[in-house]
Amino acid sequence: MTSTVRPAQSTEAVKRPGRWLALSVLVLAVLLVAVDATVLGLATPYISEDLNPSGTQLLWIGDVYSFVIAGLLVSMGSLGDRIGRKRILLGGATAFGALSVLNAYATTPGLMILARALLGVAGATLMPATLALIRNIFHDPRERSLAVGIWGATASAGTAVGPVAGGFLLEHFWWGSVFLINLPVMAVLVLVGIRTLPESRNPHPGPWDLGSVLLSLVGVIALVYAVKEAATHGPTGMTLGTGLVGAAALYGFVHRQLTMPVPLLDMRLFRRRGFSGAVLADLLTVLGMSGLVFFLSQYLQLVQDRRPFEAGLAELPAAVGAVTAGLVAGRAARRFSVRAVVSGGLAAVGVALAALTTLGESTGYPVLGAALLVVGVGAGFSFTVTADVILSGVPKDQAGAASAVSETAYELGAALGIALLGSIVTGVYRGFTGPSGTPAGAHESLGAAVQAAAQLSPHRAEALLDAARDSFVHGLHLASGAGAAVLLTASAAAWFLLKDQTLEGAG
């Protein structure tokens, strides 16, 4: 149990030996999650060919991880505050590695969805613990900003490492190999983390309330599921009922937190405008970007006929931009202002997404590469500064719960983005008209159309692929336009909500 740092001890705390080595362990956990998220998109065409999922199952494979992790992040962040953040991080990393093996060897769409869901349970322990430990290891505000920037830059680097390493593996091995790259990272994390990470927890934690855990999980999953189904199949009595169950569970969760002596999540955090504004900005940003990210690898491979490794390299500018911006974001926010950096970053992403509405089957790479670079720079500035605002605005004892709120916004945005914007792409795609004799399965996904075309005569195969690719690109245009609108709205909201917000150590 860590003791409260008094002013006389602050210099010693700031100079804590081994803090940067401890940070290297924490960013390995971030790398683990980021790589897993990106390699899935690259492997999607191969999963489609091998497991033959329906369009709905394919979306579930893509977003069930986010559903589960979003539902459990607050609970796991709070659990880490209670039992120890180091303990839950190392336990979660071990489980994450073991479940990666189950993902790699899934043999049916149902098993793959289950494996992704269980991976979400393990993943929910990792991200809040890493940010909370940063809050407790780095007491100097400027050092903490740099540490958060490195944390964010590593997540962005994972989005680069994932596609490149995944593309190499996909060209030489079966698709399950992309999940097995988690194992060596997990092993290093656990072995080094045992020796270098300090333990920290809330000295007065209160009980871990299982009722709150269940209400949070049911509320988030039911509500997001209802949105996903309504976006895919239109509103029905079933989706309305599920949505009402989710809303009721979340209302019960909030009410329970307000009445408990020691709540799982202190709802008073949301009274702070900077905290609420940063959380909302994160949610809207990821929502606007996720649909594009999920389908970009399919565009590069199945529309532009790029090899997996080449497709991975094509996505590199976004990660390079995010890494660069993340490392200087704290300094920029202190020199200018928090709201200028966050709003400017989000506006840049919105403009870049709008530019992607011009993509075609034969669009040259410079246009796509430039747009991805701007997306990376804008997101790197925004995410790093909002994470710093969230961390610096709460007591150290509540760092896990606060970090979990931040990550919940991220994962909830990802789930909603894939559900809503992904459903736009899927809905538009299904409406294409192929040549006579086009198999019904070709309308499930672009990967299925490519597979179906291999069974047709050359002339009919070409006609099928032209129609399917044109419809897919049209859907991508609409999703990019919708994402641009969301990002520009988020930029305006951040400008007002983050007014007068500053980072510690400014001036």
Side-chain angles (χ1 to χ4, degrees), residues 206-482:
W208 195 59
D209 181 46
L210 286 177
S212 296
V213 173
L214 292 175
L215 286 171
S216 172
L217 182 62
V218 171
V220 171
I221 291 181
L223 198 60
V224 176
Y225 173 80
V227 172
K228 172 186 174 296
E229 287 299 298
T232 305
H233 304 295
T236 64
M238 178 66 176
T239 56
L240 178 61
T242 305
L244 290 175
V245 168
L250 289 179
Y251 175 82
F253 174 80
V254 172
H255 179 73
R256 193 175 179 94
Q257 305 317 296
L258 292 173
T259 56
M260 291 179 63
V262 185
L264 201 68
L265 174 64
D266 187 354
M267 302 305 295
R268 290 174 298 179
L269 293 173
F270 291 95
R271 295 177 184 172
R272 305 178 184 186
R273 190 175 64 178
F275 181 88
S276 297
V279 170
L280 180 63
D282 285 351
L283 189 150
L284 292 178
T285 303
V286 180
L287 192 159
M289 294 170 56
S290 289
L292 170 73
V293 170
F294 184 68
F295 286 101
L296 184 60
S297 291
Q298 294 182 63
Y299 167 80
L300 290 169
Q301 292 179 73
L302 301 180
V303 175
Q304 293 204 329
D305 286 327
R306 298 180 187 270
R307 294 179 295 109
F309 184 65
E310 184 184 0
L313 290 176
E315 297 178 33
L316 198 59
V320 171
V323 168
T324 304
L327 293 177
V328 300
R331 190 182 309 168
R334 288 181 173 86
R335 179 173 180 180
F336 302 104
S337 71
V338 166
R339 75 171 183 173
V341 173
V342 174
S343 296
L346 298 183
V349 178
V351 171
L353 290 180
L356 293 179
T357 60
T358 64
L359 286 181
E361 294 184 37
S362 58
T363 298
Y365 181 72
V367 173
L368 178 61
L372 290 177
L373 179 64
V374 174
V375 167
V377 170
F381 274 121
S382 176
F383 284 138
T384 304
V385 175
T386 54
D388 204 339
V389 167
I390 289 167
L391 274 187
S392 61
V394 301
K396 288 190 300 175
D397 293 342
Q398 294 180 306
S403 301
V405 171
S406 171
E407 293 302 320
T408 298
Y410 187 98
E411 295 299 336
L412 195 57
L416 289 172
I418 291 176
L420 296 174
L421 302 186
S423 295
I424 291 175
V425 177
T426 302
V428 171
Y429 169 78
R430 285 175 174 166
F432 81 86
T433 302
S436 60
T438 296
H443 290 84
E444 288 291 337
S445 68
L446 185 56
V450 172
Q451 191 174 356
Q455 312 300 321
L456 301 177
S457 65
H459 177 72
R460 290 169 62 203
E462 183 179 358
L464 169 59
L465 290 177
D466 285 345
R469 286 169 173 166
D470 183 68
S471 187
F472 180 86
V473 169
H474 180 52
L476 202 57
H477 288 170
L478 294 179
S480 297

Side-chain angles (χ1 to χ4, degrees), residues 13 18 52 57 69 93-94 97 103 156 161 167 189 200 215 254 261 283 297 304 327 332 365 403 408 461 491:
N52 196 28
Q57 287 176 320
I69 203 173
T94 303
N103 278 259
S156 301
V161 172
L189 188 162
S200 67
L215 286 171
V254 172
L283 189 150
S297 291
Q304 293 204 329
L327 293 177
Y365 181 72
S403 301
T408 298
S491 174

